[in-house]
Amino acid sequence: MSEWMERAFEIAEEELGEVPVGCIFVYEGRIIAESTNTVNETRNATRHAEINCVDQVLKWCKGNGLNSVDVFRKVDVVVTVEPCIMCADALHNLRVASITYACNNDRFGGLGSTLDTGEFISNPCPRKVDSNSERALQLLRQFYQGVNPNAPVPKTKKKRKEN
């Protein structure tokens, strides 16, 4: 496993209270953004690890006087779970250099598991699956076996009294 995927797993394993996804953006051999999901923390369903990294790169580019369009074209994305349709489409549209992920996202995957967003883009970015899918799947299993403290309280239906 590459050092980049190892770092993405370290980030995912540190996460508590969110779906454990670790993501890093590598530019010219160094990490310029890293994140996990912050959906529960922010109560914003779009705050996936990849989108958080995009925001970090935009800020980094501004702080370093670089053109974000040029930077994104040289960014290699490394993420523990296949990006969802929203994130995959965003990454294709940013024209990142590549996307590497550890396991498929059979419910929401946007790189082919559910829908291949690359089919709708003239120049889709290359992607590859890392050989460490069992580690990523185990993290997800552990999370979903626990209780999400930020999930809304389920509403129960009351039984009607029959007349």
Side-chain angles (χ1 to χ4, degrees):
M1 174 173 45
S2 76
E3 67 181 279
W4 305 125
M5 185 60 76
E6 180 59 36
R7 179 62 190 143
F9 272 109
E10 289 171 4
I11 295 165
E13 289 166 348
E14 292 170 5
E15 183 48 53
L16 298 173
E18 301 279 353
V19 176
V21 175
C23 182
I24 63 172
F25 281 25
V26 179
Y27 172 74
E28 295 185 342
R30 65 185 170 132
I31 297 172
I32 61 169
E34 60 181 40
S35 188
T36 61
N37 289 338
T38 56
V39 170
N40 293 332
E41 174 188 331
T42 61
R43 299 197 185 283
N44 180 336
T46 67
R47 302 313 308 171
H48 293 193
E50 299 90 339
I51 301 301
N52 291 337
C53 284
V54 167
D55 287 348
Q56 289 176 26
V57 170
L58 292 170
K59 186 176 180 180
W60 182 84
C61 288
K62 187 174 182 179
N64 289 287
L66 297 172
N67 181 322
S68 61
V69 171
D70 296 334
V71 169
F72 278 117
R73 290 185 179 180
K74 295 179 182 178
V75 163
D76 294 302
V77 175
V78 180
V79 61
T80 57
V81 178
E82 175 187 5
C84 71
I85 294 167
M86 173 187 73
C87 292
D89 189 55
L91 296 172
H92 280 306
N93 280 296
L94 289 168
R95 300 195 187 285
V96 298
S98 69
I99 304 169
T100 302
Y101 57 97
C103 73
N104 291 338
N105 181 344
D106 293 333
R107 295 185 78 195
F108 307 110
L111 297 177
S113 292
T114 304
L115 175 74
D116 187 351
T117 58
E119 292 179 3
F120 306 103
I121 305 291
S122 59
N123 292 311
C125 54
R127 79 288 305 251
K128 66 179 180 176
V129 180
D130 185 80
S131 62
N132 220 357
S133 65
E134 190 53 42
R135 185 174 176 189
L137 291 170
Q138 186 59 34
L139 277 173
L140 294 170
R141 282 186 204 110
Q142 287 172 339
F143 174 78
Y144 286 112
Q145 286 175 351
V147 176
N148 180 347
N150 297 311
V153 177
K155 296 178 182 177
T156 56
K157 292 184 178 182
K158 295 179 184 178
K159 286 189 175 183
R160 291 184 176 182
K161 289 183 182 180
E162 293 191 32
N163 294 333

PDB file of all heavy atoms in Angstrom, residues 136-157:
ATOM      1  N   ALA A 136     -10.750  -0.910   4.483  1.00  0.00           N
ATOM      2  CA  ALA A 136     -11.766   0.134   4.358  1.00  0.00           C
ATOM      3  C   ALA A 136     -13.145  -0.403   4.714  1.00  0.00           C
ATOM      4  O   ALA A 136     -13.913   0.253   5.423  1.00  0.00           O
ATOM      5  CB  ALA A 136     -11.766   0.701   2.936  1.00  0.00           C
ATOM      6  N   LEU A 137     -13.459  -1.584   4.243  1.00  0.00           N
ATOM      7  CA  LEU A 137     -14.760  -2.185   4.546  1.00  0.00           C
ATOM      8  C   LEU A 137     -14.917  -2.449   6.044  1.00  0.00           C
ATOM      9  O   LEU A 137     -15.994  -2.258   6.599  1.00  0.00           O
ATOM     10  CB  LEU A 137     -14.945  -3.480   3.753  1.00  0.00           C
ATOM     11  CG  LEU A 137     -15.122  -3.294   2.243  1.00  0.00           C
ATOM     12  CD1 LEU A 137     -15.049  -4.639   1.531  1.00  0.00           C
ATOM     13  CD2 LEU A 137     -16.421  -2.578   1.936  1.00  0.00           C
ATOM     14  N   GLN A 138     -13.850  -2.855   6.701  1.00  0.00           N
ATOM     15  CA  GLN A 138     -13.904  -3.104   8.140  1.00  0.00           C
ATOM     16  C   GLN A 138     -14.208  -1.818   8.908  1.00  0.00           C
ATOM     17  O   GLN A 138     -15.001  -1.811   9.850  1.00  0.00           O
ATOM     18  CB  GLN A 138     -12.595  -3.732   8.632  1.00  0.00           C
ATOM     19  CG  GLN A 138     -12.636  -4.148  10.080  1.00  0.00           C
ATOM     20  CD  GLN A 138     -13.736  -5.161  10.380  1.00  0.00           C
ATOM     21  OE1 GLN A 138     -14.066  -6.014   9.568  1.00  0.00           O
ATOM     22  NE2 GLN A 138     -14.318  -5.063  11.555  1.00  0.00           N
ATOM     23  N   LEU A 139     -13.601  -0.714   8.504  1.00  0.00           N
ATOM     24  CA  LEU A 139     -13.890   0.579   9.139  1.00  0.00           C
ATOM     25  C   LEU A 139     -15.366   0.937   8.998  1.00  0.00           C
ATOM     26  O   LEU A 139     -16.003   1.393   9.949  1.00  0.00           O
ATOM     27  CB  LEU A 139     -13.050   1.691   8.498  1.00  0.00           C
ATOM     28  CG  LEU A 139     -11.643   1.862   9.001  1.00  0.00           C
ATOM     29  CD1 LEU A 139     -10.911   2.895   8.146  1.00  0.00           C
ATOM     30  CD2 LEU A 139     -11.624   2.268  10.456  1.00  0.00           C
ATOM     31  N   LEU A 140     -15.902   0.729   7.813  1.00  0.00           N
ATOM     32  CA  LEU A 140     -17.313   1.032   7.576  1.00  0.00           C
ATOM     33  C   LEU A 140     -18.211   0.121   8.403  1.00  0.00           C
ATOM     34  O   LEU A 140     -19.188   0.581   9.001  1.00  0.00           O
ATOM     35  CB  LEU A 140     -17.643   0.913   6.086  1.00  0.00           C
ATOM     36  CG  LEU A 140     -16.974   1.943   5.181  1.00  0.00           C
ATOM     37  CD1 LEU A 140     -17.185   1.577   3.718  1.00  0.00           C
ATOM     38  CD2 LEU A 140     -17.480   3.345   5.471  1.00  0.00           C
ATOM     39  N   ARG A 141     -17.884  -1.169   8.453  1.00  0.00           N
ATOM     40  CA  ARG A 141     -18.683  -2.110   9.255  1.00  0.00           C
ATOM     41  C   ARG A 141     -18.709  -1.703  10.722  1.00  0.00           C
ATOM     42  O   ARG A 141     -19.754  -1.707  11.364  1.00  0.00           O
ATOM     43  CB  ARG A 141     -18.124  -3.528   9.139  1.00  0.00           C
ATOM     44  CG  ARG A 141     -18.500  -4.225   7.865  1.00  0.00           C
ATOM     45  CD  ARG A 141     -18.038  -5.690   7.898  1.00  0.00           C
ATOM     46  NE  ARG A 141     -17.890  -6.152   6.555  1.00  0.00           N
ATOM     47  CZ  ARG A 141     -16.732  -6.424   5.944  1.00  0.00           C
ATOM     48  NH1 ARG A 141     -15.588  -6.311   6.583  1.00  0.00           N
ATOM     49  NH2 ARG A 141     -16.699  -6.830   4.698  1.00  0.00           N
ATOM     50  N   GLN A 142     -17.547  -1.337  11.256  1.00  0.00           N
ATOM     51  CA  GLN A 142     -17.469  -0.924  12.661  1.00  0.00           C
ATOM     52  C   GLN A 142     -18.341   0.301  12.914  1.00  0.00           C
ATOM     53  O   GLN A 142     -19.038   0.374  13.920  1.00  0.00           O
ATOM     54  CB  GLN A 142     -16.027  -0.606  13.048  1.00  0.00           C
ATOM     55  CG  GLN A 142     -15.159  -1.822  13.190  1.00  0.00           C
ATOM     56  CD  GLN A 142     -13.697  -1.452  13.392  1.00  0.00           C
ATOM     57  OE1 GLN A 142     -13.243  -0.370  13.062  1.00  0.00           O
ATOM     58  NE2 GLN A 142     -12.933  -2.399  13.933  1.00  0.00           N
ATOM     59  N   PHE A 143     -18.308   1.250  12.000  1.00  0.00           N
ATOM     60  CA  PHE A 143     -19.103   2.465  12.173  1.00  0.00           C
ATOM     61  C   PHE A 143     -20.592   2.144  12.160  1.00  0.00           C
ATOM     62  O   PHE A 143     -21.339   2.595  13.022  1.00  0.00           O
ATOM     63  CB  PHE A 143     -18.788   3.481  11.076  1.00  0.00           C
ATOM     64  CG  PHE A 143     -19.673   4.691  11.130  1.00  0.00           C
ATOM     65  CD1 PHE A 143     -19.440   5.696  12.054  1.00  0.00           C
ATOM     66  CD2 PHE A 143     -20.754   4.826  10.265  1.00  0.00           C
ATOM     67  CE1 PHE A 143     -20.263   6.818  12.120  1.00  0.00           C
ATOM     68  CE2 PHE A 143     -21.579   5.937  10.327  1.00  0.00           C
ATOM     69  CZ  PHE A 143     -21.327   6.939  11.250  1.00  0.00           C
ATOM     70  N   TYR A 144     -21.019   1.363  11.192  1.00  0.00           N
ATOM     71  CA  TYR A 144     -22.447   1.094  11.054  1.00  0.00           C
ATOM     72  C   TYR A 144     -22.987   0.123  12.108  1.00  0.00           C
ATOM     73  O   TYR A 144     -24.186   0.060  12.316  1.00  0.00           O
ATOM     74  CB  TYR A 144     -22.779   0.639   9.635  1.00  0.00           C
ATOM     75  CG  TYR A 144     -22.737   1.799   8.675  1.00  0.00           C
ATOM     76  CD1 TYR A 144     -21.756   1.896   7.692  1.00  0.00           C
ATOM     77  CD2 TYR A 144     -23.654   2.837   8.767  1.00  0.00           C
ATOM     78  CE1 TYR A 144     -21.708   2.982   6.828  1.00  0.00           C
ATOM     79  CE2 TYR A 144     -23.610   3.927   7.915  1.00  0.00           C
ATOM     80  CZ  TYR A 144     -22.641   3.987   6.948  1.00  0.00           C
ATOM     81  OH  TYR A 144     -22.600   5.064   6.102  1.00  0.00           O
ATOM     82  N   GLN A 145     -22.118  -0.595  12.790  1.00  0.00           N
ATOM     83  CA  GLN A 145     -22.565  -1.438  13.897  1.00  0.00           C
ATOM     84  C   GLN A 145     -22.831  -0.601  15.136  1.00  0.00           C
ATOM     85  O   GLN A 145     -23.619  -0.971  15.982  1.00  0.00           O
ATOM     86  CB  GLN A 145     -21.521  -2.501  14.223  1.00  0.00           C
ATOM     87  CG  GLN A 145     -21.481  -3.607  13.210  1.00  0.00           C
ATOM     88  CD  GLN A 145     -20.346  -4.596  13.476  1.00  0.00           C
ATOM     89  OE1 GLN A 145     -19.496  -4.370  14.318  1.00  0.00           O
ATOM     90  NE2 GLN A 145     -20.343  -5.675  12.724  1.00  0.00           N
ATOM     91  N   GLY A 146     -22.163   0.550  15.246  1.00  0.00           N
ATOM     92  CA  GLY A 146     -22.354   1.443  16.385  1.00  0.00           C
ATOM     93  C   GLY A 146     -23.568   2.321  16.163  1.00  0.00           C
ATOM     94  O   GLY A 146     -24.324   2.177  15.206  1.00  0.00           O
ATOM     95  N   VAL A 147     -23.752   3.247  17.059  1.00  0.00           N
ATOM     96  CA  VAL A 147     -24.881   4.165  16.974  1.00  0.00           C
ATOM     97  C   VAL A 147     -24.359   5.530  16.597  1.00  0.00           C
ATOM     98  O   VAL A 147     -23.399   6.018  17.181  1.00  0.00           O
ATOM     99  CB  VAL A 147     -25.622   4.232  18.336  1.00  0.00           C
ATOM    100  CG1 VAL A 147     -26.730   5.254  18.290  1.00  0.00           C
ATOM    101  CG2 VAL A 147     -26.166   2.865  18.702  1.00  0.00           C
ATOM    102  N   ASN A 148     -24.987   6.153  15.634  1.00  0.00           N
ATOM    103  CA  ASN A 148     -24.618   7.490  15.225  1.00  0.00           C
ATOM    104  C   ASN A 148     -25.265   8.476  16.205  1.00  0.00           C
ATOM    105  O   ASN A 148     -26.481   8.634  16.191  1.00  0.00           O
ATOM    106  CB  ASN A 148     -25.101   7.735  13.790  1.00  0.00           C
ATOM    107  CG  ASN A 148     -24.755   9.110  13.288  1.00  0.00           C
ATOM    108  OD1 ASN A 148     -24.370   9.993  14.043  1.00  0.00           O
ATOM    109  ND2 ASN A 148     -24.914   9.302  11.990  1.00  0.00           N
ATOM    110  N   PRO A 149     -24.478   9.166  17.049  1.00  0.00           N
ATOM    111  CA  PRO A 149     -25.065  10.052  18.051  1.00  0.00           C
ATOM    112  C   PRO A 149     -25.746  11.279  17.452  1.00  0.00           C
ATOM    113  O   PRO A 149     -26.531  11.937  18.124  1.00  0.00           O
ATOM    114  CB  PRO A 149     -23.857  10.457  18.901  1.00  0.00           C
ATOM    115  CG  PRO A 149     -22.688  10.311  17.993  1.00  0.00           C
ATOM    116  CD  PRO A 149     -23.027   9.158  17.078  1.00  0.00           C
ATOM    117  N   ASN A 150     -25.459  11.569  16.200  1.00  0.00           N
ATOM    118  CA  ASN A 150     -26.040  12.752  15.564  1.00  0.00           C
ATOM    119  C   ASN A 150     -27.246  12.444  14.688  1.00  0.00           C
ATOM    120  O   ASN A 150     -27.806  13.339  14.069  1.00  0.00           O
ATOM    121  CB  ASN A 150     -24.973  13.481  14.731  1.00  0.00           C
ATOM    122  CG  ASN A 150     -23.855  13.973  15.614  1.00  0.00           C
ATOM    123  OD1 ASN A 150     -24.102  14.596  16.638  1.00  0.00           O
ATOM    124  ND2 ASN A 150     -22.636  13.671  15.247  1.00  0.00           N
ATOM    125  N   ALA A 151     -27.613  11.178  14.618  1.00  0.00           N
ATOM    126  CA  ALA A 151     -28.761  10.807  13.789  1.00  0.00           C
ATOM    127  C   ALA A 151     -30.048  11.308  14.441  1.00  0.00           C
ATOM    128  O   ALA A 151     -30.166  11.343  15.665  1.00  0.00           O
ATOM    129  CB  ALA A 151     -28.822   9.290  13.624  1.00  0.00           C
ATOM    130  N   PRO A 152     -31.012  11.718  13.633  1.00  0.00           N
ATOM    131  CA  PRO A 152     -32.283  12.163  14.212  1.00  0.00           C
ATOM    132  C   PRO A 152     -33.003  11.010  14.899  1.00  0.00           C
ATOM    133  O   PRO A 152     -32.840   9.852  14.529  1.00  0.00           O
ATOM    134  CB  PRO A 152     -33.073  12.657  12.993  1.00  0.00           C
ATOM    135  CG  PRO A 152     -32.413  12.066  11.809  1.00  0.00           C
ATOM    136  CD  PRO A 152     -30.999  11.756  12.181  1.00  0.00           C
ATOM    137  N   VAL A 153     -33.771  11.354  15.898  1.00  0.00           N
ATOM    138  CA  VAL A 153     -34.544  10.342  16.618  1.00  0.00           C
ATOM    139  C   VAL A 153     -35.633   9.836  15.682  1.00  0.00           C
ATOM    140  O   VAL A 153     -36.368  10.637  15.089  1.00  0.00           O
ATOM    141  CB  VAL A 153     -35.168  10.950  17.894  1.00  0.00           C
ATOM    142  CG1 VAL A 153     -36.035   9.924  18.602  1.00  0.00           C
ATOM    143  CG2 VAL A 153     -34.081  11.478  18.803  1.00  0.00           C
ATOM    144  N   PRO A 154     -35.727   8.521  15.499  1.00  0.00           N
ATOM    145  CA  PRO A 154     -36.757   8.005  14.597  1.00  0.00           C
ATOM    146  C   PRO A 154     -38.156   8.276  15.149  1.00  0.00           C
ATOM    147  O   PRO A 154     -38.379   8.243  16.348  1.00  0.00           O
ATOM    148  CB  PRO A 154     -36.477   6.504  14.531  1.00  0.00           C
ATOM    149  CG  PRO A 154     -35.607   6.203  15.687  1.00  0.00           C
ATOM    150  CD  PRO A 154     -34.917   7.476  16.095  1.00  0.00           C
ATOM    151  N   LYS A 155     -39.036   8.560  14.229  1.00  0.00           N
ATOM    152  CA  LYS A 155     -40.427   8.803  14.614  1.00  0.00           C
ATOM    153  C   LYS A 155     -41.170   7.485  14.570  1.00  0.00           C
ATOM    154  O   LYS A 155     -41.079   6.746  13.599  1.00  0.00           O
ATOM    155  CB  LYS A 155     -41.070   9.809  13.655  1.00  0.00           C
ATOM    156  CG  LYS A 155     -40.418  11.168  13.727  1.00  0.00           C
ATOM    157  CD  LYS A 155     -41.037  12.126  12.732  1.00  0.00           C
ATOM    158  CE  LYS A 155     -40.326  13.454  12.805  1.00  0.00           C
ATOM    159  NZ  LYS A 155     -40.824  14.393  11.814  1.00  0.00           N
ATOM    160  N   THR A 156     -41.891   7.211  15.629  1.00  0.00           N
ATOM    161  CA  THR A 156     -42.663   5.970  15.662  1.00  0.00           C
ATOM    162  C   THR A 156     -44.129   6.302  15.438  1.00  0.00           C
ATOM    163  O   THR A 156     -44.632   7.319  15.913  1.00  0.00           O
ATOM    164  CB  THR A 156     -42.496   5.242  17.007  1.00  0.00           C
ATOM    165  OG1 THR A 156     -42.862   6.123  18.053  1.00  0.00           O
ATOM    166  CG2 THR A 156     -41.060   4.793  17.205  1.00  0.00           C
ATOM    167  N   LYS A 157     -44.773   5.440  14.714  1.00  0.00           N
ATOM    168  CA  LYS A 157     -46.197   5.641  14.447  1.00  0.00           C
ATOM    169  C   LYS A 157     -47.005   5.152  15.636  1.00  0.00           C
ATOM    170  O   LYS A 157     -46.716   4.106  16.210  1.00  0.00           O
ATOM    171  CB  LYS A 157     -46.618   4.887  13.187  1.00  0.00           C
ATOM    172  CG  LYS A 157     -46.021   5.457  11.933  1.00  0.00           C
ATOM    173  CD  LYS A 157     -46.546   4.730  10.725  1.00  0.00           C
ATOM    174  CE  LYS A 157     -45.994   5.340   9.462  1.00  0.00           C
ATOM    175  NZ  LYS A 157     -46.518   4.686   8.271  1.00  0.00           N
TER     176      LYS A 157
END
